[in-house]
């Protein structure tokens, strides 16, 4: 069984910074792309950032150079460093990772439970 556990959320003032972390645990053979999504109340879940197994990255347009995604494959972790946070960044942030596990080592996407980020204006 694969689990993703996020950490690092919290309350921060506008203009501040936070670093989110997500660790994958369980019977893992390989990790593919790793992503961060976010969902604000009453809104759809949006892709914030993605990093592939080669280290290539992509970001949602709203990031505007403020966030950086990184990964540590040895620790099976993905990070999201967020700077110049704005009130509109307030949301629950979710980790999503493609993991190959089990007998057939098929890649399956897993979600974390989410971590709340609240930015005060």
């Amino acid at each position: 069984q694969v689990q993703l556990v996020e950490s690092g959320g919290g309350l921060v003032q506008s203009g501040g910074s936070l670093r989110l972390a997500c660790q994958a645990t369980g019977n893992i053979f390989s990790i593919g792309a790793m992503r961060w999504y976010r969902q604000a109340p009453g809104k759809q879940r949006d892709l914030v950032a993605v990093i592939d197994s080669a280290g290539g990255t992509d970001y949602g347009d709203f990031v505007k150079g403020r966030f950086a995604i990184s990964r540590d494959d040895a620790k099976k972790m993905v990070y999201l460093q967020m700077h110049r946070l704005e009130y509109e960044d307030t949301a629950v942030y979710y980790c999503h990772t493609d993991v190959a596990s089990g007998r057939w080592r098929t890649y399956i996407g897993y979600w974390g439970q989410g971590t709340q980020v609240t930015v005060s204006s």
Side-chain angles (χ1 to χ4, degrees), residues 15-47:
S17 299
L18 278 177
R19 188 192 193 209
L20 306 183
C22 173
Q23 184 167 34
T25 62
N27 182 21
I28 297 171
F29 172 73
S30 178
I31 296 178
M34 308 179 85
R35 307 171 185 86
W36 287 97
Y37 286 82
R38 72 184 189 184
Q39 187 167 23
K43 295 188 177 181
Q44 66 181 20
R45 189 170 294 189
D46 291 325
L47 178 65

Side-chain angles (χ1 to χ4, degrees), residues 81-109:
Q81 179 68 56
M82 303 185 291
H83 296 297
R84 304 196 306 277
L85 284 162
E86 304 168 352
Y87 175 77
E88 292 74 20
D89 295 318
T90 296
V92 178
Y93 284 70
Y94 297 91
C95 172
H96 180 274
T97 299
D98 297 332
V99 176
S101 64
R103 178 181 179 184
W104 304 109
R105 298 174 179 176
T106 302
Y107 279 97
I108 298 174

Side-chain angles (χ1 to χ4, degrees), residues 73 104 117:
D73 287 340
W104 304 109
V117 171

